[in-house]
């Protein structure tokens, strides 16, 4: 299961679960002034973070394929990667949170937390093992200085 399911597909599955929960769970609905503005801000931040990370990977001439971290050629530790070791996954989480706000069901936060748990276990930890083997002490130092998510 590790590194076999592309994160974009995982994101879509969790988004579908959020939709189904909001549609069929009769409790947990919420609404507040500025809800749609908050959702737009979360989506905007998610897109901005993703584009920044992709730009940095492209500039470093390294792979962005999350199912093949052994193909990585450079360790990117600057820019957005100074704040998060996984900004692309963080951007997916922000969009899921925005979806949860749009759908207006408080229980969707549990599904977003499930996304974090799934990504940690089946994507990030296996990636980090490979990066540690490939970059050794440099990656270990980076992990000490930079948080996994934010």
């Amino acid at each position: 299961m590790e590194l076999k399911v592309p994160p974009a597909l995982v994101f879509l599955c969790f988004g579908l679960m959020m939709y189904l929960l909001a549609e069929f769970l009769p409790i947990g609905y919420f609404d507040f002034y500025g809800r749609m503005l908050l959702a737009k801000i979360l989506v905007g931040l998610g897109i901005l973070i993703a584009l920044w990370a992709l730009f940095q990977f492209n500039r470093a001439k390294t792979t962005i394929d999350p199912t093949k971290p052994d193909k990585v050629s450079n360790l990117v530790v600057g820019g957005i990667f100074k704040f998060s070791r996984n900004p692309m996954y963080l951007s997916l989480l922000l969009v899921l949170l925005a979806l949860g706000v749009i759908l207006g069901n408080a229980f969707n936060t549990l599904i977003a937390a499930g996304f974090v748990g799934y990504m940690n276990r089946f994507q990030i930890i296996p990636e980090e093992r490979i990066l540690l083997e490939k970059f050794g002490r440099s990656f270990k130092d980076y992990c000490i200085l930079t948080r996994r998510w934010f």
Side-chain angles (χ1 to χ4, degrees):
M1 187 82 161
E2 291 181 345
L3 302 177
K4 301 287 187 221
V5 182
L9 184 58
V10 173
F11 165 79
L12 291 174
C13 288
F14 275 84
L16 178 61
M17 284 189 282
M18 291 175 106
Y19 171 77
L20 292 173
L21 182 129
E23 192 69 24
F24 296 108
L25 186 68
I27 59 171
Y29 180 77
F30 67 87
D31 195 8
F32 58 89
Y33 180 77
R35 186 170 65 132
M36 290 304 145
L37 177 61
L38 176 59
K40 289 175 186 176
I41 290 170
L42 289 170
V43 169
L45 273 173
I47 291 170
L48 181 67
I49 289 169
L51 290 175
W52 191 3
L54 289 170
F55 171 77
Q56 287 184 264
F57 268 38
N58 187 42
R59 191 172 68 191
K61 295 182 181 11
T62 193
T63 184
I64 62 166
D65 185 351
T67 61
K68 296 182 178 135
D70 54 318
K71 303 282 187 218
V72 73
S73 57
N74 294 304
L75 184 60
V76 181
V77 298
I80 190 72
F81 289 91
K82 285 174 74 172
F83 305 102
S84 172
R85 294 194 315 254
N86 298 285
M88 288 183 249
Y89 302 147
L90 175 59
S91 68
L92 294 177
L93 174 61
L94 290 171
V95 174
L96 279 179
L97 291 172
L99 177 61
V101 169
I102 290 167
L103 294 171
N105 190 303
F107 292 103
N108 275 328
T109 57
L110 298 174
I111 294 178
F115 174 78
V116 170
Y118 179 93
M119 292 304 289
N120 280 337
R121 168 64 183 88
F122 294 104
Q123 189 67 40
I124 295 171
I125 291 172
E127 280 180 9
E128 288 181 345
R129 270 196 309 263
I130 293 167
L131 293 173
L132 184 59
E133 288 174 17
K134 192 156 192 152
F135 296 107
R137 185 71 191 173
S138 297
F139 183 70
K140 195 175 226 179
D141 291 343
Y142 173 60
C143 288
I144 291 168
L145 294 172
T146 308
R147 293 176 173 260
R148 183 175 279 162
W149 285 87
F150 53 89

